[in-house]
Amino acid sequence: MAHFVLVPGGWHGGWYYSPLVDRLRAAGHQAHAVTLTGVGERAHLAASSVNLDTHIEDVLAVLAAERITDAVLVGHSYGGMVITGAADRAAPGSVRRLVYSDAYVPGDGQSCWDLTTDAFRDLFLRNAAADGFSVAAPQGLDPRTTAHPLASFLQRLQLGGGGLPRVRTLDYVYLSGWDGTPFTEVHARLSQDPAWRVHSLDSGHNVLRDAPDELLEILLLGEGEGEKDLRELDRSPRMRG
């Protein structure tokens, strides 16, 4: 039985993962969807002091409260910043796998601001103009999205070991079906790194809308009865290694 801890991207609460949580539990695993401070049903906690460190502590609190000692951390988009920091600061051995779903993969001293595109940097500043510390959700997203703390996009991640935390398994899921993606270079770079299992889906950035079955298959790789052979997945027309 695996213990999945799912961290959403910017502006989204834990509700984003609700259908996936149900399916992971139906497959016999534990699954916990995190709502980060200042977002979603925790939007009332928004403040100028809420930053990346706050969100990392949110995930560490789930690991502690649920007594999870072998976590599979899944981060979508901005959530990649959070799971990297959480894996670095968690107790040794408590995180065994990281899954980045169309997500930022930061190194030591890097921020979401550093890693994203000019278009997203402009969006962050423009949508934070109302109060200076919360970035309003872009138009066209789910109506449940809320403003997101600007400081969490700006703060640079400090990693204790100076680089990506060492865990047993690293997965990157690249979603190729949308314009303006900031993740093309990440996908190209990690595809050449033997430490990573890299997957590509013909999907928009909202993978739970466009390719939920394929994402579930990736999450279940190597996780007991839900596992499917990688060679079988590679034959799928919607997935390329």
Side-chain angles (χ1 to χ4, degrees), residues 158-226:
Q158 302 301 317
L159 297 174
L164 189 72
R166 294 188 180 275
V167 298
R168 274 183 272 169
T169 307
L170 294 167
D171 284 278
Y172 194 87
V173 184
Y174 175 60
L175 307 178
S176 63
W178 62 291
D179 295 331
T181 173
F183 304 117
T184 300
E185 182 278 330
V186 180
H187 170 250
R189 173 169 53 86
L190 297 183
S191 294
Q192 304 303 313
D193 189 336
W196 288 79
R197 302 191 301 189
V198 178
H199 320 267
S200 180
L201 300 180
D202 181 14
S203 167
H205 191 51
N206 187 348
V207 65
L208 291 186
R209 178 194 62 202
D210 295 347
D213 295 341
E214 292 88 340
L215 179 62
L216 179 65
E217 289 173 346
I218 291 169
L219 294 184
L220 293 178
L221 286 174
E223 302 296 347
E225 294 181 0

Side-chain angles (χ1 to χ4, degrees), residues 14-97:
W15 53 263
Y16 176 72
Y17 285 117
S18 292
L20 183 58
V21 165
D22 292 341
R23 297 183 70 182
L24 288 168
R25 290 175 177 171
H29 303 290
Q30 295 292 323
H32 309 273
V34 180
T35 293
L36 301 171
T37 300
V39 187
E41 69 270 25
R42 305 184 70 199
H44 63 288
L45 300 175
S48 59
S49 60
V50 175
N51 58 18
L52 178 58
D53 282 340
T54 310
H55 291 165
I56 292 169
E57 289 298 326
D58 289 335
V59 174
L60 295 177
V62 171
L63 298 182
E66 300 294 338
R67 297 181 177 177
I68 299 171
T69 58
D70 58 347
V72 178
L73 300 186
V74 181
H76 182 68
S77 197
Y78 162 75
M81 303 291 304
V82 181
I83 66 170
T84 304
D88 179 69
R89 299 178 195 181
S94 61
V95 176
R96 64 173 176 81
R97 181 183 175 195

